[in-house]
Structure formats: structure tokens, C-alpha cells
């Protein structure tokens, strides 16, 4: 039977534990989440009836700094998924060397079924329920799937009403509400730097390299725009409603304008229609899952025709697919490094908030590039040392750093 998201993350972790020959007590300390919270959220809907939703916050590890991780609104959110994503955040913040631990939150809801007022009420209720265990030096949420700067703005406001002015309690806020320049594009930009480094190490360039991207939300759309501007060819893009294809490269600025007006990339007239399934199997250099988890699995991994998989989404590849990719020589650029640009600029936002400073966009982008490139150096050196995949090397780098902090602070 295929592993669930949490088992998959632990499977990757165990490999790193083996290579580092960690004793059992250290493994237990590293793998076990620090705290798991489930909250019942009852809100009044616009028609006067009551809506009942379930929310989660899992705080995995804070040995290197406050818990940090996004907040997802999706009907499939469950404890296993949030646990897995919280753990991934611990290793991600360590790989990219920002002084945070790992956490994740989510509400089991289809936000498209709620009005703006209902979404605001739900967000405020969630903050009310978890406010005793979060804070600027404790746990700092951020946007993820179906949450955006507006949701973070409500989050900041509700927490500040309860605990006093606290912009640093959440990142990914609107610019007008203590957000950071460059945060919106940060995850996509970090993905661009990561793939550029991996291609560069193989003597290749972004210019002319072909990309297919699943997901055209925050991460996918920014990545597409930045790739297009860098001279890469984005040949296919899809979202929840379908996809589009153009062999000599999509006109991404026009596609982005179309998606802004219609709410989807589907039906873009200057390209051919394409299903989500076909997008994954298209011939291209780099396939980019930038939407959901576990979209690359045992059932389709042998049909993938890309040479690289750039994991812009969290956990898009199952352990079985990962093994198939390794056997087939397909290089996976792992989520815990590839999409770490978001949390890196979240760190810059938090730093600006705590120091009451405003950085320029140039400084944010320059510092982001530095973190991604330095992380690549550490991961590449580890790959060489252990003769392992990029994913295993990234886990080894993350685990080594968290283990050192954990031992220095003292276990038990
Ligand atoms: P988003 O909500 O802005 O966009 C999600 C996109 O995926 C939308 O275009 C949506 O239509 C599409 N989508 C949803 N279900 C789909 C399906 N079944 N098939 C095809 N497309 C589908 O979310 P986002 O913030 O861009 O996050 C995307 C992924 O990146 C998630 O896995 C998230 O955890 C990860 N991530 C996000 C950030 C960030 O800063 N936002 C940081 C790191 C990782």
C-alpha cells in the first residue's frame, strides 16, 4: 500500500538518519512533533446558519528558532498531511539556514464555497483558538494553498486585538500592513534560483530550457513569469480547471492577464488545451508540480518524460515515484530546498517587523539568492560526500543542523 504524506516524509528522514548513523534517542527526538492542536471552528454563515470546520496546527520542532510554517485552506486537509508539512518545514528552515523551526496549519474547508465575510470570520475564529500557543517569538504562520496576504492581514489584526500590536506574528502580510517587498514572488523566485543552480552544475542554462508547470497560483504564476523573463520556454501550464500548451513557448504575460480576468489559464486562445494528466506526461526538460501533494506516484512516474522535477509544491512526489525517478535518472530538486524562498523572505519580513525597518526589493532578492545558493553548496557537498540524491542530501543537511541545535540545547 502506498505511504501517506507523513510516512513519506519519515521515509526520507530515516534515510538521512541512517547515513548520519544517528542513535535511536536522537532519531526519536527529531522525528516526534512537539505539539499537535485540533480546533473546532463554529462560525455564523451569511444566511444565519452555522458552519462547523476543523482546524489544525502542528508545531514540529523549535530547536533552531520559533516554529514557522504556512496555513492551508483545503477540503483535503487532515492531521497526517499537516504533520508531514510541519516536519518538512523543520528540515526546510534548516537547509536554507533561517533561524526558525517547523510548523504547519490548515483548515478543512473549501474556501470557494465561502463568501469573503465568512472567510474572514473563519480566519478570526482560528486565531482566537490558537492565539495562546502562537506569537512573534513562538510560532509564526504564513500563507499556503488558498490563503493570501488578505488572510494574513486578518490574522495579524485579530492577534493584535487580543495581544497588542504584533506584526511579526504572521508573515506574507499585505505591503500596507507591514508586509515585505518581494514576499509575494519569493517562493517562485527561490525556485528559479534553485533550478538555475542545478542546471548550471550540469553545464546547462535557463535560456531555452523547456518547463511544464502544474498550478498557476502564487508559486506557479510567479515562477512562470520569472522563467519567461529569464529566457526559458514555458510550454505548458495548468490549474484546477485545466491546462494549455504551446510547443514554442507560451506568452506568459498574456496568459497571466487572461488568468487574472477569467480566474483560470483554461481557454487561453493562443494555445492548445491540455488536461492536467497530460501536462504531467508532456515532453519537456523540467516538470514543475506547483499545486498539490502526491501528484507524482507509482501510477504515473514511469510515464514522466521530463529530465528534472522541480518540486515547487510541498510533497508532490511519493516515495515510490521518487525511487522510480532515481532509477530512471530523473533528477528531483526537492521541496525542502526548491521552495524555501517563501520561508526565507518570511524570515526577512519578520526581521523587518521586529527591527521596525523596511528593506528595498533589491536587498530582499539579493539576500534570497544568497541563501538559496549557499544552501545549494551545502547540499551539493553532501551529495558528493554520501554519493546520494539531491533529496537525501538536502535531508542530511537539514537533519545535521537540527540535530546539532537539539543536542546543544539538551535532549530531555
Ligand atoms: P495557491 O492556492 O496560490 O495556488 C494553487 C494552484 O494550484 C492554483 O492555480 C490551483 O488552481 C491549482 N490547483 C489546485 N488543485 C489542482 C489540481 N488538482 N490540479 C491542477 N492544479 C490544481 O497556492 P500556492 O501558494 O501557489 O501553493 C502551491 C504549492 O506550493 C503548495 O503545495 C504549497 O504548499 C507550496 N508552497 C507555497 C509557498 C508559498 O509561499 N505560497 C511556499 C512554499 C511551498
Amino acid at each position: 500500500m502506498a505511504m501517506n504524506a507523513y510516512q513519506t516524509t519519515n521515509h526520507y528522514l530515516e534515510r538521512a538518519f541512517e547515513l548520519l548513523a544517528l542513535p535511536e534517542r536522537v532519531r526519536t527526538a527529531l522525528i516526534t512533533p512537539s505539539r499537535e492542536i485540533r480546533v473546532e471552528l463554529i462560525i455564523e454563515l451569511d444566511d444565519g446558519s452555522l458552519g462547523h470546520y476543523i482546524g489544525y496546527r502542528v508545531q514540529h520542532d523549535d530547536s533552531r528558532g520559533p516554529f514557522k510554517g504556512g496555513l492551508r485552506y483545503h477540503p483535503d486537509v487532515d492531521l497526517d498531511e499537516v504533520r508531514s508539512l510541519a516536519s518538512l518545514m523543520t528540515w526546510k528552515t534548516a537547509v536554507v539556514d533561517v533561524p526558525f523551526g517547523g510548523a504547519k496549519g490548515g483548515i478543512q474547508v473549501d474556501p470557494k464555497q465561502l463568501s469573503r465575510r465568512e472567510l474572514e470570520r473563519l480566519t478570526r475564529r482560528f486565531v482566537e483558538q490558537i492565539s495562546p500557543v502562537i506569537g512573534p517569538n513562538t510560532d509564526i504562520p504564513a500563507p499556503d494553498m488558498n490563503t493570501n496576504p488578505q488572510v494574513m492581514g486578518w490574522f495579524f489584526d485579530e492577534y493584535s486585538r487580543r495581544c497588542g500590536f504584533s506584526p511579526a506574528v504572521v508573515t506574507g502580510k499585505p505591503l500596507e500592513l507591514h508586509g515585505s517587498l518581494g514576499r509575494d514572488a519569493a517562493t517562485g523566485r527561490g525556485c528559479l534560483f534553485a533550478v538555475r543552480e542545478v542546471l548550471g552544475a550540469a553545464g546547462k542554462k535557463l535560456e531555452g530550457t523547456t518547463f511544464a508547470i502544474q498550478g498557476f497560483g502564487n508559486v506557479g504564476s510567479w515562477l512562470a513569469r520569472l522563467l519567461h523573463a529569464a529566457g526559458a520556454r514555458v510550454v505548458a501550464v495548468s490549474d484546477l480547471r485545466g491546462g494549455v500548451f504551446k510547443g514554442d513557448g507560451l506568452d506568459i504575460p498574456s496568459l497571466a492577464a487572461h488568468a487574472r480576468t477569467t480566474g483560470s489559464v483554461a481557454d487561453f486562445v493562443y494555445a492548445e488545451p491540455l488536461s492536467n494528466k497530460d501536462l504531467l506526461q508532456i515532453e519537456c526538460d523540467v516538470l514543475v508540480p506547483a499545486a498539490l501533494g502526491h501528484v507524482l506516484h507509482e501510477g504515473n512516474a514511469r510515464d514522466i518524460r521530463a529530465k528534472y522535477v522541480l518540486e515547487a509544491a510541498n510533497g508532490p512526489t511519493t516515495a515510490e515515484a521518487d525511487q522510480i525517478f532515481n532509477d530512471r535518472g530523473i533528477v528531483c530538486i526537492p521541496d525542502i530546498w526548491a521552495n524555501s524562498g517563501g520561508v526565507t523572505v518570511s524570515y526577512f519580513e519578520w526581521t523587518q517587523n521586529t527591527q521596525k525597518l523596511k528593506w528595498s526589493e533589491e536587498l530582499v532578492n539579493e539576500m534570497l539568492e544568497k541563501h538559496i545558493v549557499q544552501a545549494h553548496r551545502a547540499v551539493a557537498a553532501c551529495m558528493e560526500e554520501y554519493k546520494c540524491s539531491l533529496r537525501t542530501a538536502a535531508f542530511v543537511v537539514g537533519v545535521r543542523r537540527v540535530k546539532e541545535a537539539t543536542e546543544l540545547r539538551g535532549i530531555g
Side-chain angles (χ1 to χ4, degrees):
M1 212 174 75
M3 298 180 205
N4 68 24
Y6 188 52
Q7 289 164 333
T8 306
T9 303
N10 287 347
H11 168 80
Y12 297 144
L13 264 180
E14 291 288 351
R15 242 192 254 162
F17 292 170
E18 284 300 310
L19 287 178
L20 293 168
L22 295 189
E24 199 54 42
R25 65 192 297 269
V26 177
R27 294 181 190 211
T28 306
L30 296 185
I31 215 163
T32 314
S34 177
R35 185 188 268 144
E36 299 185 345
I37 301 148
R38 174 193 150 117
V39 291
E40 307 286 334
L41 305 167
I42 297 188
I43 58 162
E44 187 175 314
L45 301 176
D46 292 345
D47 64 4
S49 66
L50 291 186
H52 183 181
Y53 306 90
I54 294 168
Y56 301 97
R57 186 77 184 163
V58 173
Q59 298 173 331
H60 180 262
D61 189 280
D62 66 347
S63 50
R64 299 182 61 263
F67 298 109
K68 182 90 187 83
L71 177 62
R72 173 177 292 198
Y73 290 177
H74 196 275
D76 294 341
V77 163
D78 64 20
L79 189 55
D80 267 326
E81 182 186 71
V82 181
R83 254 189 206 140
S84 154
L85 294 167
S87 172
L88 285 177
M89 286 305 297
T90 297
W91 320 115
K92 188 182 300 184
T93 52
V95 169
V96 79
D97 202 13
V98 294
F100 289 129
K104 201 80 177 190
I107 302 180
Q108 204 178 79
V109 59
D110 180 357
K112 289 180 196 72
Q113 305 298 322
L114 297 189
S115 70
R116 184 185 158 91
R117 295 271 334 267
E118 290 167 339
L119 212 54
E120 177 177 347
R121 278 199 289 273
L122 184 64
T123 303
R124 290 184 185 277
R125 182 72 76 230
F126 185 64
V127 178
E128 177 191 339
Q129 298 274 50
I130 66 164
S131 60
V133 292
I134 60 164
N137 292 312
T138 318
D139 182 358
I140 306 135
D144 193 77
M145 271 192 90
N146 294 326
T147 56
N148 56 21
Q150 174 61 78
V151 174
M152 300 303 119
W154 292 326
F155 201 110
F156 151 68
D157 179 68
E158 188 62 33
Y159 185 85
S160 294
R161 280 172 196 233
R162 293 168 182 279
C163 306
F165 177 71
S166 314
V169 70
V170 67
T171 56
K173 300 178 294 292
L175 274 179
E176 300 75 8
L177 274 184
H178 312 278
S180 174
L181 287 164
R183 174 60 184 88
D184 207 31
T187 307
R189 193 179 296 280
C191 286
L192 176 97
F193 292 144
V195 69
R196 185 196 67 191
E197 292 303 296
V198 172
L199 290 174
K204 298 177 186 167
K205 286 193 159 139
L206 275 176
E207 288 89 354
T209 299
T210 53
F211 287 77
I213 306 178
Q214 183 192 55
F216 204 66
N218 170 278
V219 182
S221 69
W222 270 111
L223 177 61
R225 277 176 275 176
L226 294 167
L227 284 171
H228 183 80
R233 254 194 305 148
V234 182
V235 294
V237 164
S238 70
D239 61 28
L240 195 53
R241 282 179 22 205
V244 286
F245 168 78
K246 192 161 187 282
D248 58 356
L250 292 157
D251 176 354
I252 297 296
S254 307
L255 179 64
H258 168 81
R260 257 195 311 276
T261 32
T262 66
S264 170
V265 295
D267 305 324
F268 180 57
V269 290
Y270 304 107
E272 294 166 38
L274 181 79
S275 72
N276 257 300
K277 181 167 175 277
D278 290 343
L279 177 131
L280 296 176
Q281 300 174 8
I282 215 165
E283 193 158 344
C284 62
D285 297 312
V286 187
L287 174 63
V288 190
L292 302 172
H294 281 194
V295 291
L296 300 170
H297 47 74
E298 201 172 7
N300 62 10
R302 286 179 194 81
D303 302 321
I304 302 306
R305 290 192 283 164
K307 302 176 192 73
Y308 296 86
V309 172
L310 172 62
E311 294 189 335
N314 282 309
T317 311
T318 66
E320 294 81 5
D322 190 57
Q323 187 57 51
I324 295 168
F325 290 156
N326 280 335
D327 295 345
R328 294 184 57 213
I330 296 174
V331 176
C332 246
I333 309 176
D335 48 8
I336 59 169
W337 171 51
N339 70 32
S340 61
V343 75
T344 303
V345 176
S346 276
Y347 162 50
F348 303 156
E349 182 176 332
W350 179 80
T351 303
Q352 292 169 74
N353 293 158
T354 51
Q355 299 185 351
K356 300 175 177 57
L357 290 175
K358 266 199 180 298
W359 293 10
S360 69
E361 193 163 356
E362 290 71 29
L363 178 60
V364 168
N365 293 344
E366 192 187 306
M367 292 294 288
L368 168 62
E369 184 169 12
K370 216 166 164 178
H371 274 262
I372 300 285
V373 170
Q374 274 171 358
H376 182 243
R377 286 205 191 112
V379 172
C382 194
M383 239 175 111
E384 193 54 37
E385 184 181 348
Y386 292 100
K387 306 284 174 246
C388 62
S389 69
L390 263 179
R391 185 189 310 284
T392 302
F395 270 95
V396 168
V397 169
V399 166
R400 216 160 34 192
R401 290 178 177 161
V402 177
K403 170 200 166 271
E404 275 155 21
T406 304
E407 286 185 334
L408 284 167
R409 292 180 75 148
I411 303 176

